[in-house]
Amino acid sequence: TPAPNGIYREPTAPVILPGSEDAAATQDGKKRIYWIRLEGELGTDITQKPIRDAIKDARNLKADVIVMELDADWKRGDEEGGEPLPNDAANFDEVFRAEDITPIFTQEIRKEWETPPKVVFWVKQAMAGASLLPFVSPDIYFASDARLGGIGNLSIMMDGVGDDVVREKQRSLRLGHVEGWAISGGHDYRFIRAMARIEYVLSVKYENGQPVLIEDFPSNAGEELLTDDGEKGNADSLSARVSGTGNDVLTFNARTAKALGLSRGTADSKDELISALGLDRTGVVLKGRSERIMEDWSEGIDTAKRRLKRLLEEYPRITPEPPGEYTDRTKARGRRTRALDEIQTILKQRGEGLSPRWRGQNGIPSEDQINTMKEGIKLEQLKDRK
């Protein structure tokens, strides 16, 4: 839980009390379902530390199924909210932020659990970098109004930087990395390509009720266009780009996700999802600590932001009172060093939830800069004379 200064305290292991639902689930053979709600902004509210703590809690409770309820919309502005952004305004480099989280599901659970649980992603909103997370799981479900997409800027990334060959190589490296996640989750890598590249054309036909993807425009009435080339008359309007209803890039909704085989079904409530999983009679939802873990993390990020701002505002004012005797100067340097120490502690424990954009906007120094500032204080003290 967060302390007043934003420092994170490691959660303690849960205790299963006799007679509780969690205890009953371990005794009557029912499948134990652990729920984790991921809500907010990727890299701020949705980040690896609280997810790991929730997964640890699920392991202590011997969960058989972990449901990741993903509700990560995509708006302009960190704190004040704002309007949804168009699909091609995203930064595909959020793949690197998602990359810090995906190993939890692709590697750590398999290594740390004696019997790994089934991990289910229930998508409510998964825009921008958060859209990449569900692909690591073969078990994806959508809410009826869900969207998954918003990474359609890959083709225009780095325009004007270097030559065409270098730019295309960098784009291909990024794309191939994420396509690997889709393949590991049992999904077609072309879904990622259609979500990310404006010029990529993808259609689908159905044979015996199964989707068959075609990397071309439809050639007959039995084929459906998913994404066009975004050229001239094919370019989406701004409203279509924002709403995700255009076809320059692929934005999944409940219908397309189910039809294309990305989603196993549609559910609009916990009960509906549990029923879709076939666990309405054979499963029990554990009363774990995930909700408190996620809330504590988000609250702690807010506290850390406020504290960092205050420390940086106060830092220049930490000076000795006139006439500035040696003892006063020494005390002032000590206070400055302690302020820098506190900044480092907050960044170490909460830094993963502070986006590069927020750090830049608020002048948060890097670790190297802070160390340089502390060394400067030491040198000042050594040179000072009574």
Side-chain angles (χ1 to χ4, degrees), residues 6 20 35 61 116 140 156 200 211 218 241 271 302:
S20 69
W35 216 277
L61 293 175
I140 302 174
I156 57 177
Y200 183 67
R241 289 160 55 207
D271 289 343
D302 291 339

Side-chain angles (χ1 to χ4, degrees), residues 1-11 292 295-308 342 345-346 349-350:
T1 58
N5 61 2
I7 296 174
Y8 194 79
R9 295 197 185 103
E10 188 75 20
R292 185 69 262 167
E295 287 177 356
D296 284 351
W297 176 262
S298 293
E299 291 170 4
I301 289 295
D302 291 339
T303 301
K305 286 181 174 180
R306 290 193 298 271
R307 183 59 182 159
L308 285 171
E342 185 175 348
T345 298
I346 294 172
Q349 299 195 11
R350 294 285 179 177

Side-chain angles (χ1 to χ4, degrees), residues 125-151:
Q125 294 292 325
M127 297 301 289
S131 69
L132 305 172
L133 298 180
F135 281 94
V136 301
S137 170
D139 297 291
I140 302 174
Y141 292 79
F142 270 52
S144 59
D145 60 349
R147 295 184 309 159
L148 183 147
I151 55 170

Side-chain angles (χ1 to χ4, degrees), residues 65-82:
V65 179
I66 297 176
V67 175
M68 310 297 299
E69 180 182 341
L70 181 57
D71 193 355
D73 207 349
W74 177 35
K75 297 181 183 297
R76 188 186 304 276
D78 283 332
E79 298 163 345
E80 70 281 0

Side-chain angles (χ1 to χ4, degrees), residues 74 85-92 150-157 195-196 198 236-238 241-242 248-249:
W74 177 35
L85 293 168
N87 276 340
D88 58 3
N91 185 353
F92 190 86
I151 55 170
N153 76 320
L154 181 62
S155 299
I156 57 177
M157 276 182 60
M195 290 167 62
I198 296 172
D236 292 340
S237 66
L238 178 60
R241 289 160 55 207
V242 170
D248 284 356
V249 291

